[in-house]
Amino acid sequence: MHIIRPLWLTHSGEKKDFEVYSCHVSPDGARLVTAAGDGHVRIWSTEAIYNAADPNFSKPKQLASMSHHSGTIHTVRFSPNGKYLASGADDKIVCIYVLDPNPPSHGAAFGSDEAPPVENWRIFRRLIGHENDVQDLGWACDSSILVSVGLDSKVVVWSGYTFERLKTITSHQSHVKGITFDPANKYFATASDDRSVHVFRFTPPGPNSTAHDQATNFVREKEIRDPFVGSPITTYFRRCSWSPDGAHIGFSNAVNGPVSSVAIVDRGNWGGDIALIGHELPVEVCAFCPRLWSTTPIESQARAANGSLASLVSVIACAGQDKSISIWITSNSRPIIIAQDLAIKSLSDLAWSPDGTRLFATSLDGSIIALVFRDRELGYSASMEENERALAKFGGGRKAAGLLEGPINLILEERSKEGEMRGVEGRMGALMGDGVATSQIDGNSQTTRSEPLMNGIKSQLINAQVNGDSAQAQTASKDSREGDAAAQSVQDTRAERIKQRVTITKDGKKRVAPLLVSSSNVGESALPRAQLRVSNATGQGPAIDTPQTVLDLSKPFDGLPKGGLAAVLLGNRRKLAAIEGDEEGIAEKRVASASRDGAVPILSNTTDGLKLAQPTSNAPSQTSIPEFLRPAVVNPSLSVSSVRLAVPKLRSTITRSLDPSASADADNSKKDNKDPNLFLEVRNPTGPSPTGRFEDREPARLVVSRKGQPMFIEFLPKSVLLVAGGHQFWAAVCEDGSLFAWSPAGRRLISALVLESQPVILEARNSWLLCITAAGLAYVWNIADLSSPHPPVSVAPILDIATHNLSSHTTKAPAITSAHLNSEGRIVITLTNGDGYTYSPTLFAWQRLSEVWWAVSSQYWNKGDSSVGNLKSSKDDKAVNTNSEGIISFLEKHTATESQLRGRAYVTSRLVKALLPREGYETFESSVSIAHLENRLAAAMTLGAKADFQSNLLMYAKRLGVEGLRIKTEELLRGLMGPGDDDDDDDDNDNDNEEAETNGAASHKPTRSDDRTWSASKDTICGWDRKELLRAVVIILGKHRDFQRLIVPYAQILGITNGTDEDEMGDVMVA
């Protein structure tokens, strides 16, 4: 090892050299960046540093110098992708720089002896989020996020794409002085002067992620305190580092008894007994070498079954206030290199070159030192593939970038990246209040008015209106074809509004008239608009498809403060209300005297303030509440039934209004059917029998009225338990199990249907009617054509009857909380345990669509999304089977609510947390998240939920590309393309269907669409054109070079690479 210390490598001042606080090496190893107390960020050529002793070396030494901070700069860091450079200073600002390929437009500062800049590094963003000095910065390994820490005790997370602030974490109680990232991209750790280290678990956000999306991301996994009890808090930094194999973390400024040390913490259990002891004074910085090393040649070693080498070691360098550097390897208990008295003052930062053969150090005396190691001085260097193999067991999944195989691959990759950036620019333009945003689509300039984009594809191609309301999207994009002239005129108009007006006073002087903020845009504010969040909540904005954090239920949560909802609305501390005639404050004195004596005065919290409570009368309430007459008569068949559901009590009055929204999606809807003043009223007999015999009861009377005027009256011999109504029929069930149905005009549609037991649930939707009986049988009828899609089905399987019968003692089974029908007549049931089910009439079995397992295990569980939170079906004349929109989100929302209220998810959440650090479960979260998306796709296809199918398909394609699952991706592409059967096969299938119908084989087969399976021969799948979905998936996967050989044939067929119009490739199929 030899030490290089050039005289020109410093931040020089007039009288002395400024303190150098930080340094870092670019990912390509060609640049060294340093930051110092002069407020400058300087970029040096590493080649010039290595050749400092060569007098013939004439290349530039300093490449650039930036001074965009107003104070001392404490930290500088290159992004791992090499695109950005970040710096943080005591002016509370984080600056982001980018390298401009154009030559510098300015020379050296006037009066300075510095050489002119060689590279043009310009300021790109100024990030404001700290309230005190910024002490350290850290980039995620994929450059997706930037984390800054400072003396305000805050940990601020910024997006690595838009540099929007995603989250501010305030878990530390004192100055935060260090940050390091897990090379597997699962965690990051922060070190603070509160003598603790916090480890945070995170999911890398996508390019379009916002602070609202990441509200549940970046969760604290562990707090480590043991190695830092008694550590000094007078150090400048607590810079830490993560080993390249992801197995260990090195934390500076730790103590081992009275001795300063560097604590080595193991991954997973977040503990460890290893401490690097040897420095006389506190250690302020430690840095792991980015390469793995071996004491023996790599080629001569035997590999394990998974291809890894067992003899690889890590190298870590430590430095601090004792002005010395020690270098350790994990196979030795003593340091292999100790360099003392390298500087006059403390060492502030360390930075390794990417190849691990050089180490740079900075000192507070202004010196910058380079340590160059001889060949094999640290051992035998392993390739980066060994790092990736070591990280694979932690779910790192970092793959090689791959090589482009041709120009088509490059076009495909650029299309994919342009699509993502259009989404980012469109959202940023909306936040800045731009009414008109120009985007490039397929190479043509188009002007759109805040048109929602999804993955770079226009909303006309992917028209996923989550609530089924596509009219709003069409209205929002009706001006999407305006030309450049219209866009320019709008911009000129806005510019004219904000021009400053110059006026001339009486004395001839010119004055600039003040411009009010409110008048600068004539009612159009340039500030972020509130309706952006509303549009996302109603499904009009871009879909949020980045993975969410696993639902954490390990800690209790109180949703309301003390005092309940009244405290939220009115506050906890309120004054007494002003009372007329009480000028002397007698009421207030009474309350004060009572409180002084220890009594608690009774006060009423009103909108005007606190008032003394008044005694209330015991008069009965005037609100009319239906009277419960008696329990219904139970059928004797329930005594032998395995399922016994509770029968509702018999009520004196039952009222049901016609839901106006129920007819909005019907084909035969009439205008008068939307009248909310249409009511069905049932009056059961309440008095004694007119003949004196109990058997001779008065009949139940049914009256259908509109605005108080009766339309028809019907009498039934038995008392009515339940009623249901729709725009096509009315239905009622009596306590003897008889079911009746009438047309809207009062004509009986069917003779009385006799059920085996009393009804429990009765629901109507369009022409469908659902009835669940006390014996657990679910009936579904189509009243329009007087048919049933399937025989009665028992709900015993979904109530865990088999599981509970295995127990020797009686246990509480889950109960039904709601039962609904979709527009195809499918049964959808939710239970008290949070599970959601539907019955498949084609498979003749129940299917579980939602359960607690997804809530605590999947990264895509969206417990707060209300964009598709109802069961309202959409109707699109041009679409196929646009129904069941929002059922999947409705079921998952119900699962989250029930699991939290009943605590069922707590045990499951603890199990999942215990499994994550264990060996063999490294890919647990990824596998469960992919399975959750696949479950959503299958459920959407079963229910015919068009919008849910499209949105989850795009999320599924994105995740397959990130995880590199080539086999599943190939299967998905083939499924979207379709089987491509010929005409002869279609004729044979038609003949087979005709023969089956003739023989009566399809007597109970329900009506279903032919595009609900991946192998269907139709050009649509779940209501979407297969080629449109395939085009969207191919563009999403285009940026992943590992898949380009697979997707290029599909891209050529779809015309993505040559600009072929979609209308011209309608008949193109894959052979």
PDB file of all heavy atoms in Angstrom, residues 602-604 606 611-621:
ATOM      1  N   ILE A 602     -71.484  18.268  35.290  1.00  0.00           N
ATOM      2  CA  ILE A 602     -72.032  17.676  34.067  1.00  0.00           C
ATOM      3  C   ILE A 602     -72.342  18.807  33.106  1.00  0.00           C
ATOM      4  O   ILE A 602     -73.154  19.691  33.399  1.00  0.00           O
ATOM      5  CB  ILE A 602     -73.299  16.856  34.367  1.00  0.00           C
ATOM      6  CG1 ILE A 602     -72.977  15.762  35.398  1.00  0.00           C
ATOM      7  CG2 ILE A 602     -73.869  16.264  33.102  1.00  0.00           C
ATOM      8  CD1 ILE A 602     -74.188  14.956  35.811  1.00  0.00           C
ATOM      9  N   LEU A 603     -71.644  18.805  31.959  1.00  0.00           N
ATOM     10  CA  LEU A 603     -71.785  19.849  30.964  1.00  0.00           C
ATOM     11  C   LEU A 603     -72.204  19.248  29.630  1.00  0.00           C
ATOM     12  O   LEU A 603     -71.889  18.084  29.328  1.00  0.00           O
ATOM     13  CB  LEU A 603     -70.466  20.614  30.785  1.00  0.00           C
ATOM     14  CG  LEU A 603     -69.873  21.259  32.041  1.00  0.00           C
ATOM     15  CD1 LEU A 603     -68.509  21.858  31.732  1.00  0.00           C
ATOM     16  CD2 LEU A 603     -70.813  22.323  32.587  1.00  0.00           C
ATOM     17  N   SER A 604     -72.887  20.035  28.849  1.00  0.00           N
ATOM     18  CA  SER A 604     -73.283  19.631  27.501  1.00  0.00           C
ATOM     19  C   SER A 604     -72.392  20.360  26.508  1.00  0.00           C
ATOM     20  O   SER A 604     -72.235  21.581  26.570  1.00  0.00           O
ATOM     21  CB  SER A 604     -74.751  19.987  27.236  1.00  0.00           C
ATOM     22  OG  SER A 604     -75.588  19.283  28.123  1.00  0.00           O
ATOM     23  N   THR A 606     -72.031  21.784  23.250  1.00  0.00           N
ATOM     24  CA  THR A 606     -72.851  22.258  22.146  1.00  0.00           C
ATOM     25  C   THR A 606     -71.994  23.031  21.164  1.00  0.00           C
ATOM     26  O   THR A 606     -70.818  23.309  21.404  1.00  0.00           O
ATOM     27  CB  THR A 606     -73.993  23.142  22.669  1.00  0.00           C
ATOM     28  OG1 THR A 606     -73.425  24.331  23.240  1.00  0.00           O
ATOM     29  CG2 THR A 606     -74.809  22.420  23.726  1.00  0.00           C
ATOM     30  N   LYS A 611     -72.402  24.140  28.106  1.00  0.00           N
ATOM     31  CA  LYS A 611     -73.560  24.567  28.867  1.00  0.00           C
ATOM     32  C   LYS A 611     -73.832  23.579  29.983  1.00  0.00           C
ATOM     33  O   LYS A 611     -73.507  22.398  29.870  1.00  0.00           O
ATOM     34  CB  LYS A 611     -74.791  24.682  27.967  1.00  0.00           C
ATOM     35  CG  LYS A 611     -74.707  25.781  26.914  1.00  0.00           C
ATOM     36  CD  LYS A 611     -76.000  25.854  26.117  1.00  0.00           C
ATOM     37  CE  LYS A 611     -75.937  26.983  25.083  1.00  0.00           C
ATOM     38  NZ  LYS A 611     -77.193  27.054  24.300  1.00  0.00           N
ATOM     39  N   LEU A 612     -74.424  24.112  31.091  1.00  0.00           N
ATOM     40  CA  LEU A 612     -74.817  23.222  32.170  1.00  0.00           C
ATOM     41  C   LEU A 612     -75.902  22.269  31.677  1.00  0.00           C
ATOM     42  O   LEU A 612     -76.857  22.671  31.007  1.00  0.00           O
ATOM     43  CB  LEU A 612     -75.317  24.031  33.361  1.00  0.00           C
ATOM     44  CG  LEU A 612     -74.257  24.894  34.069  1.00  0.00           C
ATOM     45  CD1 LEU A 612     -74.915  25.749  35.143  1.00  0.00           C
ATOM     46  CD2 LEU A 612     -73.177  24.020  34.674  1.00  0.00           C
ATOM     47  N   ALA A 613     -75.741  20.991  31.981  1.00  0.00           N
ATOM     48  CA  ALA A 613     -76.691  19.993  31.503  1.00  0.00           C
ATOM     49  C   ALA A 613     -78.048  20.221  32.137  1.00  0.00           C
ATOM     50  O   ALA A 613     -78.160  20.522  33.332  1.00  0.00           O
ATOM     51  CB  ALA A 613     -76.184  18.595  31.819  1.00  0.00           C
ATOM     52  N   GLN A 614     -79.092  20.101  31.334  1.00  0.00           N
ATOM     53  CA  GLN A 614     -80.463  20.264  31.789  1.00  0.00           C
ATOM     54  C   GLN A 614     -81.102  18.894  31.966  1.00  0.00           C
ATOM     55  O   GLN A 614     -80.822  17.965  31.213  1.00  0.00           O
ATOM     56  CB  GLN A 614     -81.266  21.088  30.773  1.00  0.00           C
ATOM     57  CG  GLN A 614     -80.689  22.469  30.507  1.00  0.00           C
ATOM     58  CD  GLN A 614     -80.730  23.338  31.744  1.00  0.00           C
ATOM     59  OE1 GLN A 614     -81.634  23.202  32.581  1.00  0.00           O
ATOM     60  NE2 GLN A 614     -79.753  24.251  31.872  1.00  0.00           N
ATOM     61  N   PRO A 615     -81.945  18.752  32.979  1.00  0.00           N
ATOM     62  CA  PRO A 615     -82.628  17.457  33.148  1.00  0.00           C
ATOM     63  C   PRO A 615     -83.544  17.184  31.962  1.00  0.00           C
ATOM     64  O   PRO A 615     -84.230  18.075  31.462  1.00  0.00           O
ATOM     65  CB  PRO A 615     -83.415  17.631  34.447  1.00  0.00           C
ATOM     66  CG  PRO A 615     -83.583  19.117  34.591  1.00  0.00           C
ATOM     67  CD  PRO A 615     -82.348  19.741  34.005  1.00  0.00           C
ATOM     68  N   THR A 616     -83.536  15.956  31.507  1.00  0.00           N
ATOM     69  CA  THR A 616     -84.352  15.555  30.363  1.00  0.00           C
ATOM     70  C   THR A 616     -85.597  14.842  30.853  1.00  0.00           C
ATOM     71  O   THR A 616     -85.607  14.174  31.884  1.00  0.00           O
ATOM     72  CB  THR A 616     -83.553  14.611  29.447  1.00  0.00           C
ATOM     73  OG1 THR A 616     -83.127  13.480  30.209  1.00  0.00           O
ATOM     74  CG2 THR A 616     -82.311  15.327  28.899  1.00  0.00           C
ATOM     75  N   SER A 617     -86.619  14.997  30.065  1.00  0.00           N
ATOM     76  CA  SER A 617     -87.891  14.349  30.401  1.00  0.00           C
ATOM     77  C   SER A 617     -87.881  12.906  29.958  1.00  0.00           C
ATOM     78  O   SER A 617     -87.122  12.509  29.076  1.00  0.00           O
ATOM     79  CB  SER A 617     -89.040  15.099  29.723  1.00  0.00           C
ATOM     80  OG  SER A 617     -88.888  15.040  28.311  1.00  0.00           O
ATOM     81  N   ASN A 618     -88.724  12.131  30.579  1.00  0.00           N
ATOM     82  CA  ASN A 618     -88.836  10.715  30.248  1.00  0.00           C
ATOM     83  C   ASN A 618     -89.935  10.452  29.225  1.00  0.00           C
ATOM     84  O   ASN A 618     -90.473   9.350  29.142  1.00  0.00           O
ATOM     85  CB  ASN A 618     -89.131   9.901  31.521  1.00  0.00           C
ATOM     86  CG  ASN A 618     -87.976   9.981  32.500  1.00  0.00           C
ATOM     87  OD1 ASN A 618     -86.826  10.061  32.085  1.00  0.00           O
ATOM     88  ND2 ASN A 618     -88.286   9.986  33.794  1.00  0.00           N
ATOM     89  N   ALA A 619     -90.304  11.487  28.479  1.00  0.00           N
ATOM     90  CA  ALA A 619     -91.363  11.303  27.479  1.00  0.00           C
ATOM     91  C   ALA A 619     -90.872  10.375  26.383  1.00  0.00           C
ATOM     92  O   ALA A 619     -89.699  10.403  26.008  1.00  0.00           O
ATOM     93  CB  ALA A 619     -91.755  12.662  26.897  1.00  0.00           C
ATOM     94  N   PRO A 620     -91.725   9.540  25.857  1.00  0.00           N
ATOM     95  CA  PRO A 620     -91.312   8.614  24.802  1.00  0.00           C
ATOM     96  C   PRO A 620     -90.937   9.361  23.538  1.00  0.00           C
ATOM     97  O   PRO A 620     -91.430  10.458  23.267  1.00  0.00           O
ATOM     98  CB  PRO A 620     -92.551   7.741  24.599  1.00  0.00           C
ATOM     99  CG  PRO A 620     -93.697   8.590  25.057  1.00  0.00           C
ATOM    100  CD  PRO A 620     -93.158   9.392  26.204  1.00  0.00           C
ATOM    101  N   SER A 621     -90.036   8.768  22.772  1.00  0.00           N
ATOM    102  CA  SER A 621     -89.575   9.374  21.536  1.00  0.00           C
ATOM    103  C   SER A 621     -90.689   9.371  20.497  1.00  0.00           C
ATOM    104  O   SER A 621     -91.532   8.477  20.458  1.00  0.00           O
ATOM    105  CB  SER A 621     -88.367   8.588  20.995  1.00  0.00           C
ATOM    106  OG  SER A 621     -87.995   9.092  19.743  1.00  0.00           O
TER     107      SER A 621
END
